[in-house]
Amino acid sequence: MKTRRKSFHLRMISLLLGGVFCLHAQGLSYSLPPAETKVDVGHDTSLLKKLSQGVGAIAKSSKKALVFVSVSKTLKGPQGIDPLELFGFGRRQIPAPKQEGLGSGFIIDLEKGYILTNNHVVDGADEIDLKLANGLSYKGKIMGHDSNTDIAVVRIEDDKFSKKDLEALVLGDSEKLHVGAFVVALGAPFGLEASISFGAVSALGRGSLQITQMGDFVQTDAAINPGNSGGPLVNMDGKVVGINTAIFSKSGGYNGIGFAVPSNLVRRIANNLINNGKVSRGYIGVHFQALTDEIKTSLNIPKKTKGVIVAQVEKDGPAGKAGVKPWDVIVAIDGKNLANDRDLVSRIGLKNPGTKTKLSIVRDGKEKTLNLVIGTYPGSEELADSGNEDANSFKSTLGMNFTFKESGLIVSRLEKKSPAAGRLLPGDIILSVDKTDFRKAKNLKQALSKFKKAISQARDNKQKSVIMRIQAGSQRNSPGFAFVTIDLG
């Protein structure tokens, strides 16, 4: 009986296996069309194939210069109480918390290890780690960074870093860009290294975006997300036409509107930072305000006219020497019309001192052209932050950066949430704090010492604020001297 049951079970197993084999054999009689099957799309797509292959080649080559930038900085402030101290174990040194950030960059000189990125990627960093395209990581050091244009140059600290499988990118001519030109954006969006996106140039010369104090931007619909900052925007020649910097988004993610610093501006700033560790800012010596409709009507200026009206001219400044007078309306620089008052500040500020420039003005209803030579903005040789407090800048407890002029401290930068924001502007000259003035200071170090002492004394006296006597800078509509009250917090 047992033998018969065993035989029955074996027959059932063999039948089941046979069914499986049978089904498997039947499956071999059908297969999906092979990948080589031709598809009739009804049109010649060879051009699209070439475009796809070209974009792929550009991406593959450009990736060899891409750098993944990670930074960390120590947060300052009260760190709380060590719980072990409460139980009699003695005081321990509690490490200060650190803030970490991610961004992108790209190699611009392989032999020297120079890397370009955004200032906001590395600003304030205690440590900079650079992961190169060959997978190796090195420490980075800031050679110079300019907050006015959001450009920074970082150098690989190890002079013997491996250059295997790496390449440097070339800065192209952003003036040759046109709307509709195809571009590739590279970077590390959300930390996803070596990502690319493909798109077109949506617009050129985007200014008044309040992203930076100077310069305009290339707008693109190539996807740019957090982590792309500092990465290259590359054209179809494989050249960099911009540094990816910002996006327009209500959600914080990609909305089809990204902005890049144009390569021609990058070239100028980078050369200054590498050679001098600083950026010289152009200057013509005029105080002005926006050209409003009311002013146009009063002066019989056509309503379509765009520009600024001059309120005061510094006698020995470049504009004064060229013949510019109060009531003149500046409408163009080197034949290129002004879009707004900020446009004048940006375009003059970004010109190299010594540059010969043509200024188009309207006077008494008639347009004329004046020739002038761009001067150096007082103290602008120190507007770039190189990390050397005595030689370049100092970030005070009031959230300001300073440079030095014989008569006082020039405000070069303000933090958005600083006590002075809204009361002072970059370019304003602080002549005194309460009764402490800076007229006898011989250099930045002495002036800063006096400034710190005045602030410390005010806090010791439990003052809630200090009064600063200032001379209005070029970003203000009206020139002259004023008193400004700044809260100490």
Side-chain angles (χ1 to χ4, degrees):
M1 189 69 179
K2 290 182 180 180
T3 302
R4 292 179 62 186
R5 285 183 179 178
K6 183 176 181 181
S7 174
F8 174 77
H9 289 158
L10 288 173
R11 286 198 301 271
M12 288 298 296
I13 291 172
S14 65
L15 287 173
L16 289 172
L17 289 175
V20 173
F21 292 142
C22 180
L23 287 174
H24 184 64
Q26 289 178 355
L28 289 176
S29 66
Y30 173 82
S31 62
L32 294 171
E36 294 77 12
T37 304
K38 291 185 177 181
V39 177
D40 184 8
V41 296
H43 201 279
D44 182 10
T45 59
S46 58
L47 186 61
L48 291 176
K49 292 177 182 178
K50 288 182 179 180
L51 174 62
S52 178
Q53 291 169 355
V55 170
I58 289 169
K60 183 178 180 180
S61 175
S62 300
K63 280 183 179 181
K64 295 179 181 179
L66 203 57
V67 179
F68 182 52
V69 183
S70 57
V71 302
S72 64
K73 62 180 178 180
T74 303
L75 297 177
K76 298 180 180 179
Q79 306 303 324
I81 301 173
D82 181 358
L84 291 180
E85 184 181 359
L86 299 177
F87 293 93
F89 288 99
R91 180 178 293 275
R92 292 186 307 163
Q93 184 67 36
I94 301 178
K98 289 191 174 184
Q99 185 180 53
E100 296 182 345
L102 302 174
S104 304
F106 58 96
I107 299 172
I108 202 65
D109 189 318
L110 184 58
E111 292 304 313
K112 296 183 179 180
Y114 293 163
I115 293 167
L116 290 179
T117 185
N118 282 138
N119 172 65
H120 75 260
V121 171
V122 297
D123 188 27
D126 297 319
E127 293 184 1
I128 301 175
D129 291 308
L130 307 170
K131 185 177 181 182
L132 308 183
N134 58 12
L136 300 177
S137 297
Y138 300 91
K139 295 294 182 182
K141 181 180 181 180
I142 298 174
M143 293 188 67
H145 57 123
D146 180 40
S147 57
N148 294 298
T149 54
D150 200 17
I151 296 170
V153 179
V154 176
R155 181 177 62 83
I156 300 172
E157 283 194 319
D158 188 348
D159 294 331
K160 297 181 179 180
F161 72 95
S162 173
K163 300 175 180 63
K164 185 180 179 181
D165 299 326
L166 301 179
E167 289 185 10
L169 286 173
V170 175
L171 291 175
D173 185 354
S174 54
E175 286 295 322
K176 293 182 179 179
L177 270 179
H178 62 85
V179 174
F182 291 144
V183 286
V184 175
L186 296 96
F190 302 107
L192 300 173
E193 302 173 33
S195 296
I196 78 150
S197 57
F198 175 70
V201 173
S202 306
L204 297 169
R206 287 295 194 202
S208 302
L209 298 174
Q210 298 183 340
I211 299 173
T212 59
Q213 292 183 19
M214 295 183 184
D216 52 24
F217 293 84
V218 176
Q219 182 183 329
T220 179
D221 67 352
I224 295 175
N225 281 294
N228 273 114
S229 289
L233 186 69
V234 180
N235 66 9
M236 294 298 97
D237 291 324
K239 296 181 179 180
V240 178
V241 290
I243 293 182
N244 305 322
T245 299
I247 59 173
F248 178 84
S249 174
K250 293 182 179 180
S251 64
Y254 172 65
N255 264 4
I257 303 177
F259 301 101
V261 181
S263 57
N264 286 9
L265 174 56
V266 174
R267 180 185 296 277
R268 188 214 151 180
I269 300 300
N271 281 336
N272 274 272
L273 293 175
I274 292 171
N275 292 317
N276 308 312
K278 58 191 179 185
V279 179
S280 296
R281 176 181 168 188
Y283 162 81
I284 61 174
V286 296
H287 299 269
F288 60 88
Q289 68 182 71
L291 189 60
T292 62
D293 289 339
E294 291 80 6
I295 293 175
K296 292 177 187 178
T297 301
S298 299
L299 299 179
N300 295 318
I301 298 173
K303 289 186 177 181
K304 293 183 179 179
T305 304
K306 294 182 179 181
V308 300
I309 184 168
V310 177
Q312 183 176 329
V313 182
E314 295 182 11
K315 184 178 179 181
D316 296 324
K321 293 178 180 178
V324 178
K325 299 178 180 179
W327 299 97
D328 285 346
V329 175
I330 302 175
V331 294
I333 300 170
D334 291 329
K336 187 176 180 180
N337 293 334
L338 295 178
N340 47 52
D341 54 336
R342 183 186 179 279
D343 202 14
L344 176 66
V345 175
S346 178
R347 286 165 60 184
I348 292 296
L350 291 174
K351 284 185 176 292
N352 286 316
T355 303
K356 294 181 179 180
T357 302
K358 293 183 181 297
L359 210 64
S360 299
I361 66 168
V362 174
R363 180 185 296 167
D364 299 327
K366 298 180 179 180
E367 186 170 333
K368 63 186 303 183
T369 301
L370 301 175
N371 297 312
L372 58 78
V373 178
I374 299 293
T376 302
Y377 189 85
S380 71
E381 65 275 5
E382 295 168 353
L383 280 177
D385 311 310
S386 71
N388 187 329
E389 177 183 10
D390 293 337
N392 287 281
S393 64
F394 164 74
K395 189 173 182 180
S396 76
T397 54
L398 300 183
M400 292 183 282
N401 284 70
F402 297 126
T403 57
F404 179 68
K405 186 179 179 180
E406 290 182 2
S407 57
L409 288 168
I410 302 174
V411 179
S412 61
R413 186 186 179 195
L414 285 161
E415 291 183 359
K416 292 182 179 180
K417 296 182 179 181
S418 68
R423 293 183 173 271
L424 294 176
L425 292 174
D428 287 346
I429 302 174
I430 302 175
L431 305 173
S432 63
V433 176
D434 288 342
K435 294 183 180 180
T436 301
D437 65 62
F438 311 111
R439 287 176 294 182
K440 295 182 180 180
K442 295 181 179 180
N443 50 46
L444 177 64
K445 186 175 182 179
Q446 289 184 6
L448 289 176
S449 178
K450 289 192 173 193
F451 180 87
K452 294 178 187 178
K453 187 174 181 180
I455 298 299
S456 297
Q457 186 173 350
R459 285 186 167 138
D460 290 341
N461 293 336
K462 298 183 179 180
Q463 293 177 214
K464 294 183 179 180
S465 62
V466 292
I467 297 177
M468 296 184 180
R469 181 171 176 265
I470 70 166
Q471 181 177 347
S474 60
Q475 291 196 29
R476 292 188 180 271
N477 293 333
S478 57
F481 300 88
F483 290 96
V484 178
T485 300
I486 305 295
D487 293 335
L488 294 178

